Amino acid sequence: MARIQRLSRGFSFSAFFIVIYTVGMTLATTDAGFSPGETDASAESSRYLIGLGSYDITGPAADVNMMGYANPLQNAAGIHIRLRARTFIVAEKNIANSGVGNRVVFVNLDACMASQAVTNKVIERLRNRYGDMYSEKNVAISGTHTHSGPGGYLQYVLYIITSMGFVRQSFNAIVDGIENSIIQAHNNLRPGSLFVNQGDLFDANINRSPSAYLNNPSEERARYPHNVDKEMTLLKFVDSEWGPLGAFNWFAVHGTSMSRDNKLISGDNKGVAARLMEDFYDQQLVEQGDWMVDWSDTTDILSSAIAKSGDGERPEIIHNRVRNLFRSAKGSRFVAAFCQSNVGDTSPNVQGAVCLDTGIACDFNHSTCNGKSELCIGRGPGYPDDFVSTTIIGERQFKKAAQLFDSATELLKGPIGYRHKHIDFSNLEVALSNGAKVHTCPAAVGFSFAAGTTDGPGAFDFKQGDPQGNTFWRIVGGALKPPSKAQINCQKPKPVLIDTGEMLHPYPWAPSILPIQILRVGQMVILSVPAEFTTMAGRRLRDAVKTTLIEEGGGEFGEDVKVVIAGLTNAYSQYVTTYEEYEVQRYEGASTLYGPHTLSGYIQEFKKLAAALARGESVEEGPSPPQLLDKQLELLPPVVVDSTPTGSSFGDVIEDVPANSSFTRGNIVTVKFWSACPRNDLFSESTFALVEYLGKGGNWVPTYDDDDLCLRFMWDRPSLKSPHSHATLRWEIPDTVQPGLYRIRHFGAAKHLFGSVQHFVGTSNTFRVY
């Protein structure tokens, strides 16, 4: 782990490219102890076919409101790191028929959550391509819960208000990326093995609603040493011939290291962790000679890009992102996915919530400061710098995952299986353990929903832990749709602020029908839930499913079965708390849509799925969720035209690096260009920003792009309706940088008044780095 300690402070995969280039692509063997041959994954031990894939889903990097905080002022304006869809497919090897048996697909999105509309469209495309091989039954699509990705891709009204309705560009980028990542994984299917490992990570999450957690029974709390889950569960994928290919892990922590004021697209702490782990293990493969580098055309491409920038063609250089220069002798790059779990009441802001006005801890029960929620803010480990906090929490997850990856020895064995069902949660009959029959309710949010959380507080006079509400806001909420007496009674003790489940115009405001799903690979069982379960809610669900599998499996499942929750999967319906936490009515309870018995309903239905899986029985699919894609309202104005001031052109430098300047490691280099709206071309699997190194023979070598932590792409307009815009590229020179000559380049696309799009390139002065 000493190697990882050094790497995480200044590592960038692209810095390593230069070393390879200058020394003829020959390096000494690493001391990290990583070797594809370390894990026994011979053909004899391979029980499955495995395939991994990864594709860009970044989407529009301007103007679109970010999904998560519901802050109408938090519109995308650049890129911190890119967003990706990462996929694994595991299939049974059917030797007798020389074919393939059952298979499961899991997609991890650097997005706030999954979306029913996205899931519907992806399944439609897979069906058109592969027939019945992939369906909603065996495909799971899960979000990491970053709050710094473009919104507007969900189909229910409540979740697209701040994004000014549906944003088709966001939706298409996610759907396209998921489809391409699944295609990659499908095409990469080869014999291999899976290993599972678990371990505790103690310094990456805290409970942001401890007063609600304390309302759970004391004897139940006594079973657990912490008020959040500290365990990370990791799957290691090993090709029978090529060795380790990737890892997927599940750990519960909110994607809120980046605050509600951030405007750069980011995968937040889990996105950082994935970037660090992928680059680290890719580096190992390069050092061992298992990768090849294609440096062809790196000189001619740059000049041809400029030549073509005026004729409307896309500059060829943007197709050669830094990581794409590497061609794996194994057919695919290392894929690392950091997946979400029972995240509901967790926070990455591990210093706790502090009052901005006094510097003391917030009120314990209500998370207020002098009665105001807005002043109570959680602090990350790098406070007040969001980027530092994001990196620290990401590094901590990466290091634990690398440790589990390198020490994984438990081989997954046994069948692949899955069960899936749709449930109408608006009026589900639930049988409680005491024999009583109760029902869930149509969706509704309570007053504390509007108070927000310590990760992102709300406004006005709302506060968490409010079981009463007030008359003024009750009138305001009732103006939208006054809740019926039956709804008020059903939701108690939640005071209903917005009766979302009974609001159907212009189309439904919240879901009623939701998917639940179980995926099984040997002794690994994944529970796909379309919500954010709190810590204790997740524990109860996991325990209930594990018990059912063991009791109903006829000896097939033992105590070694690993049950993990994949939160925010296949659809989204806000939160699920325990009955006791619901009584407290903090944010999570107020956002538990279907009333106090929501968790009991989930446990009941998941136990049915688990029993069917264990017995080998089928299940009824249940009612289908609505298809609302054709009903969506799209209110975000399009890009009308881009222009530059008279005498300037797109790509011209406004603020350049001084001629003949020099910098050292740790310095920050900033260059500002005349630019155009990034919505004109999303540059998927390419880049808006590039740092190049002058290599031997005068070739400019791409070294860092806008998916590197050290290079930020920041975009702005002088005024809201101005056709002019700027791109500022900020490069913080890493400790690992190769000394030499560098330059910074910006790539963009400008829209003319009559709709044509012109690509352009801008280039800074050359400067030296020592």
Side-chain angles (χ1 to χ4, degrees):
M1 294 301 291
R3 175 84 174 199
I4 296 176
Q5 292 280 355
R6 295 197 301 273
L7 175 148
S8 62
R9 286 197 294 268
F11 176 73
S12 176
F13 187 41
S14 42
F16 191 70
F17 295 5
I18 304 170
V19 179
I20 298 172
Y21 181 83
T22 55
V23 301
M25 301 174 233
T26 303
L27 291 176
T29 302
T30 177
D31 63 351
F34 173 83
S35 172
E38 285 183 356
T39 303
D40 179 13
S42 63
E44 290 77 12
S45 69
S46 302
R47 291 164 172 81
Y48 310 109
L49 298 178
I50 59 174
L52 303 180
S54 175
Y55 204 85
D56 192 344
I57 61 167
T58 302
D63 300 331
V64 176
N65 191 251
M66 291 181 170
M67 182 61 194
Y69 288 117
N71 175 10
L73 301 179
Q74 190 192 13
N75 295 331
I79 296 174
H80 171 222
I81 53 174
R82 285 190 169 259
L83 311 180
R84 300 196 71 80
R86 296 173 171 92
T87 295
F88 76 71
I89 300 177
V90 184
E92 289 177 340
K93 291 168 63 176
N94 190 336
I95 304 299
N97 299 319
S98 300
V100 178
N102 284 341
R103 61 179 64 203
V104 294
V105 182
F106 189 91
V107 185
N108 189 60
L109 303 178
D110 287 329
C112 195
M113 67 281 290
S115 154
Q116 185 68 67
V118 167
T119 299
N120 292 345
K121 180 58 70 172
V122 169
I123 297 303
E124 175 187 313
R125 291 191 183 181
L126 293 178
R127 186 176 294 113
N128 291 338
R129 181 180 293 271
Y130 299 110
D132 295 332
M133 186 177 296
Y134 301 112
S135 71
E136 65 275 4
K137 296 180 181 180
N138 66 344
V139 176
I141 302 172
S142 183
T144 63
H145 209 37
T146 174
H147 285 43
S148 294
Y153 61 92
L154 287 89
Q155 71 173 8
Y156 296 102
V157 173
L158 183 64
Y159 310 130
I160 55 175
I161 291 175
T162 57
S163 61
M164 299 184 68
F166 193 74
V167 181
R168 201 160 296 270
Q169 199 172 35
S170 290
F171 174 83
N172 288 338
I174 294 173
V175 171
D176 291 346
I178 295 171
E179 181 185 20
N180 280 299
S181 72
I182 292 174
I183 291 171
Q184 286 180 18
H186 177 87
N187 292 339
N188 289 335
L189 281 169
R190 287 172 47 85
S193 299
L194 288 88
F195 296 81
V196 64
N197 203 2
Q198 295 178 306
D200 288 337
L201 174 58
F202 294 108
D203 55 359
N205 63 355
I206 62 171
N207 194 305
R208 70 185 187 188
S209 287
S211 60
Y213 181 88
L214 288 173
N215 207 46
N216 291 307
S218 57
E219 61 273 17
E220 182 180 34
R221 288 186 282 110
R223 293 169 50 198
Y224 305 98
H226 306 285
N227 62 4
V228 291
D229 285 342
K230 299 294 184 179
E231 187 172 66
M232 176 184 287
T233 300
L234 179 137
L235 280 182
K236 177 177 182 176
F237 295 81
V238 182
D239 186 280
S240 297
E241 179 184 357
W242 295 336
L245 296 178
F248 279 59
N249 71 76
W250 289 262
F251 178 76
V253 62
H254 249 85
T256 50
S257 291
M258 301 293 275
S259 72
R260 68 196 304 270
D261 299 319
N262 168 59
K263 295 185 178 182
L264 299 187
I265 290 175
S266 174
D268 209 273
N269 55 70
K270 287 187 178 291
V272 167
R275 170 55 47 240
L276 291 174
M277 189 165 185
E278 288 178 343
D279 286 355
F280 179 73
Y281 284 104
D282 277 346
Q283 177 186 7
Q284 308 306 306
L285 294 173
V286 172
E287 290 181 338
Q288 294 170 91
D290 292 321
W291 282 61
M292 301 176 293
V293 188
D294 180 8
W295 297 110
S296 61
D297 298 330
T298 52
T299 303
D300 294 339
I301 285 177
L302 300 177
S303 57
S304 68
I306 298 174
K308 291 185 177 182
S309 63
D311 62 7
E313 292 187 38
R314 219 170 184 238
E316 293 178 20
I317 182 62
I318 65 176
H319 295 298
N320 288 275
R321 297 186 62 240
V322 169
R323 287 167 184 82
N324 291 346
L325 289 173
F326 277 67
R327 303 291 183 261
S328 172
K330 297 179 176 181
S332 64
R333 292 181 49 230
F334 192 93
V335 176
F338 286 72
C339 311
Q340 198 53 267
S341 192
N342 48 323
V343 65
D345 51 0
T346 68
S347 173
N349 297 310
V350 293
Q351 291 191 35
V354 177
C355 293
L356 292 177
D357 55 346
T358 64
I360 62 175
C362 306
D363 176 83
F364 182 74
N365 292 315
H366 302 292
S367 296
T368 56
C369 303
N370 296 320
K372 295 183 179 294
S373 296
E374 306 98 292
L375 299 176
C376 178
I377 303 291
R379 292 184 176 181
Y383 178 84
D385 191 322
D386 288 353
F387 294 95
V388 174
S389 291
T390 301
T391 299
I392 291 172
I393 298 298
E395 283 181 337
R396 290 173 180 175
Q397 291 177 79
F398 153 57
K399 290 176 183 178
K400 173 53 66 173
Q403 183 184 73
L404 295 175
F405 184 84
D406 288 341
S407 61
T409 58
E410 182 180 345
L411 187 68
L412 290 188
K413 306 173 184 178
I416 291 173
Y418 49 85
R419 293 295 184 275
H420 175 278
K421 186 174 183 179
H422 287 109
I423 307 294
D424 186 347
F425 275 91
S426 67
N427 187 28
L428 176 67
E429 183 176 273
V430 181
L432 300 180
S433 58
N434 62 8
K437 298 289 184 68
V438 294
H439 287 80
T440 56
C441 321
V445 295
F447 278 66
S448 295
F449 161 76
T453 73
T454 56
D455 291 336
F460 306 108
D461 55 349
F462 293 102
K463 64 182 180 180
Q464 295 196 69
D466 181 4
Q468 302 298 326
N470 65 58
T471 302
F472 174 77
W473 289 112
R474 202 181 299 276
I475 293 172
V476 172
L480 294 172
K481 165 67 174 66
S484 64
K485 289 184 178 180
Q487 174 75 319
I488 292 171
N489 290 331
C490 186
Q491 291 280 350
K492 283 183 177 179
K494 178 200 293 178
V496 175
L497 176 62
I498 307 176
D499 189 16
T500 54
E502 298 182 313
M503 296 169 64
L504 304 177
H505 300 288
Y507 41 88
W509 280 54
S512 295
I513 299 171
L514 294 169
I516 63 171
Q517 181 187 55
I518 299 180
L519 305 181
R520 178 206 178 175
V521 180
Q523 67 270 33
M524 177 79 171
V525 174
I526 301 170
L527 311 182
S528 301
V529 301
E532 302 173 56
F533 277 55
T534 61
T535 299
M536 194 64 85
R539 289 167 176 169
R540 291 183 189 179
L541 178 62
R542 287 198 307 261
D543 288 349
V545 168
K546 181 174 181 177
T547 299
T548 301
L549 291 172
I550 293 172
E551 291 179 350
E552 301 291 338
E556 186 172 343
F557 294 94
E559 289 295 333
D560 64 338
V561 64
K562 310 293 191 298
V563 180
V564 297
I565 287 175
L568 308 122
T569 300
N570 295 329
Y572 183 65
S573 60
Q574 295 172 249
Y575 285 74
V576 177
T577 65
T578 66
Y579 180 88
E580 295 82 2
E581 292 165 347
Y582 186 91
E583 289 181 312
V584 177
Q585 279 299 294
R586 282 180 62 86
Y587 174 82
E588 294 82 13
S591 303
T592 296
L593 295 184
Y594 308 107
H597 303 294
T598 301
L599 175 60
S600 296
Y602 270 103
I603 291 174
Q604 170 182 283
E605 298 305 314
F606 263 103
K607 287 173 67 175
K608 293 178 183 178
L609 280 192
L613 179 66
R615 298 171 188 158
E617 299 173 352
S618 62
V619 295
E620 294 184 5
E621 188 56 31
S624 297
Q627 303 267 356
L628 301 176
L629 191 57
D630 294 338
K631 299 179 181 292
Q632 296 300 309
L633 298 178
E634 303 177 48
L635 304 178
L636 180 69
V639 179
V640 177
V641 66
D642 295 290
S643 66
T644 60
T646 303
S648 299
S649 300
F650 295 110
D652 283 357
V653 179
I654 302 172
E655 298 175 10
D656 205 347
V657 179
N660 302 315
S661 56
S662 298
F663 300 90
T664 61
R665 295 173 176 87
N667 287 167
I668 295 174
V669 182
T670 302
V671 183
K672 189 174 184 178
F673 301 87
W674 284 113
S675 190
C677 185
R679 291 162 61 196
N680 296 324
D681 188 331
L682 303 184
F683 286 79
S684 296
E685 289 293 347
S686 82
T687 187
F688 290 101
L690 195 65
V691 174
E692 295 174 330
Y693 166 81
L694 186 60
K696 290 184 179 180
N699 291 340
W700 284 102
V701 181
T703 55
Y704 301 91
D705 64 22
D706 63 17
D707 200 21
D708 279 293
L709 293 172
C710 63
L711 181 60
R712 299 179 197 169
F713 162 57
M714 300 174 286
W715 180 86
D716 71 277
R717 289 189 179 98
S719 60
L720 181 63
K721 296 184 179 181
S722 174
H724 301 165
S725 64
H726 315 126
T728 302
L729 308 188
R730 177 190 185 275
W731 183 37
E732 184 173 356
I733 302 175
D735 294 340
T736 53
V737 76
Q738 177 80 4
L741 295 177
Y742 287 83
R743 67 182 183 184
I744 295 176
R745 312 194 79 192
H746 168 49
F747 303 92
K751 186 175 182 180
H752 295 296
L753 184 60
F754 297 105
S756 63
V757 173
Q758 170 194 357
H759 288 88
F760 60 87
V761 183
T763 305
S764 75
N765 286 330
T766 300
F767 54 94
R768 182 173 295 278
V769 174
Y770 290 100

